[in-house]
Amino acid sequence: TAFIAEEYPDGFHGAEPDEDVVEKIARATVAMHVIHTLRDLEITGQLREGARAPSAWWSVGFGGRTWLARVYPFLEDPRAGAPDAVYARVHFEDEDSFTTLITTYEPGDRIAAFSFADEDAGVPDFEEGADLVLKVDRRTEGFRVRYRGADLDVKVRTPRAAALAALMPEKQAADTSKMLLCPMPGTLVALSVAEGDEVQQGQALCTVEAMKMENVLRAERKATVAKINVAAGAGLSVDDVIMEFE
């Protein structure tokens, strides 16, 4: 039961994919994005300015790296080895050639399988097995991709959107490790400690009544109560600071 703590004292973060897999993931995600774009183009009643050609340039990036990629239209091909497979050519800006990929991915799928071949090899064959299988979740600007323990946030944007996103400051999460926050709207019905008290892990700190139920909030670690911000009987909202610790 202590394997993770002993073998991975800093936490287990999954295996880092090698360079070849990283580039395949980049090609696969921009291809999936184009599949969604092709579907979106079929929606009726759109303004002409809202449609974007699937063969336009796209910026795809994750893990501190970014590629400028172009995906040429998907086509059905009997050589794909699967009746519902389609193929496309993916070209990175700094490459002289393109890579052909085969996939059966459709919008809504949670598992995406791909086979790859370089320009000279022609169309890859799905019958020989997929080269890359990903667990995917569609997001507003790309996909959450999981591969062999690695959890990747892949962004696929227009080059203009990517350039603007690079200028956006990153919002730093507030440090709440020394605070007791209210987890739900409710009423503080009892305080079990006072300012200056030393508390132990698991010790009851206060009781919040919500939805006709009393919820006992306990200390996550050993600490000293530095300040209590509310009195018994006070109404609380989510994330209100009930008390602070030294």
Side-chain angles (χ1 to χ4, degrees), residues 30 33 52-61 66-70 93 141 155-167:
V30 72
H33 183 82
R52 180 171 175 80
S55 59
W57 288 99
W58 299 95
S59 171
V60 52
T66 303
W67 297 264
L68 195 60
R70 193 166 190 169
E93 183 185 34
E141 292 185 305
K155 301 294 187 185
V156 183
R157 304 179 172 109
T158 65
R160 175 61 174 166
L164 294 175
L167 302 176

Side-chain angles (χ1 to χ4, degrees), residues 1-213:
T1 57
F3 176 80
I4 295 295
E6 292 174 355
E7 300 297 327
Y8 302 95
D10 298 326
F12 178 72
H13 305 292
E16 290 295 327
D18 60 30
E19 181 67 19
D20 179 61
V21 172
V22 164
E23 291 198 358
K24 284 181 177 179
I25 292 174
R27 297 181 197 275
T29 49
V30 72
M32 288 189 293
H33 183 82
V34 169
I35 289 174
H36 282 268
T37 300
L38 288 171
R39 184 195 64 174
D40 293 345
L41 290 173
E42 297 177 359
I43 299 173
T44 60
Q46 297 185 89
L47 296 175
R48 291 184 60 124
E49 293 77 4
R52 180 171 175 80
S55 59
W57 288 99
W58 299 95
S59 171
V60 52
F62 62 95
R65 296 188 58 185
T66 303
W67 297 264
L68 195 60
R70 193 166 190 169
V71 181
Y72 293 90
F74 279 75
L75 301 170
E76 295 182 357
D77 192 283
R79 295 170 294 168
D84 55 349
V86 293
Y87 79 93
R89 294 173 296 170
V90 180
H91 171 69
F92 285 164
E93 183 185 34
D94 58 351
E95 293 180 332
D96 296 328
S97 61
F98 59 81
T99 297
T100 302
L101 60 82
I102 288 285
T103 184
T104 55
Y105 175 80
E106 294 181 347
D109 288 352
R110 301 294 297 277
I111 301 295
F114 296 85
S115 290
F116 298 84
D118 59 28
E119 182 177 0
D120 296 330
V123 179
D125 196 331
F126 238 33
E127 291 180 345
E128 298 179 358
D131 298 319
L132 184 72
V133 179
L134 306 173
K135 185 174 182 181
V136 298
D137 292 290
R138 174 70 171 163
R139 289 181 170 176
T140 303
E141 292 185 305
F143 298 84
R144 179 188 179 188
V145 174
R146 279 161 284 182
Y147 174 78
R148 295 186 177 180
D151 195 340
L152 309 172
D153 182 16
V154 185
K155 301 294 187 185
V156 183
R157 304 179 172 109
T158 65
R160 175 61 174 166
L164 294 175
L167 302 176
M168 296 293 292
E170 293 187 12
K171 184 177 180 180
Q172 300 296 325
D175 182 9
T176 59
S177 60
K178 295 185 177 181
M179 301 177 185
L180 176 65
L181 305 181
C182 184
M184 76 284 285
T187 302
L188 182 66
V189 295
L191 283 166
S192 304
V193 296
E195 292 182 359
D197 286 357
E198 183 177 277
V199 297
Q200 305 297 319
Q201 182 178 2
Q203 181 177 337
L205 301 175
C206 64
T207 303
V208 176
E209 183 184 81
M211 300 291 291
K212 299 182 179 180
M213 296 181 63

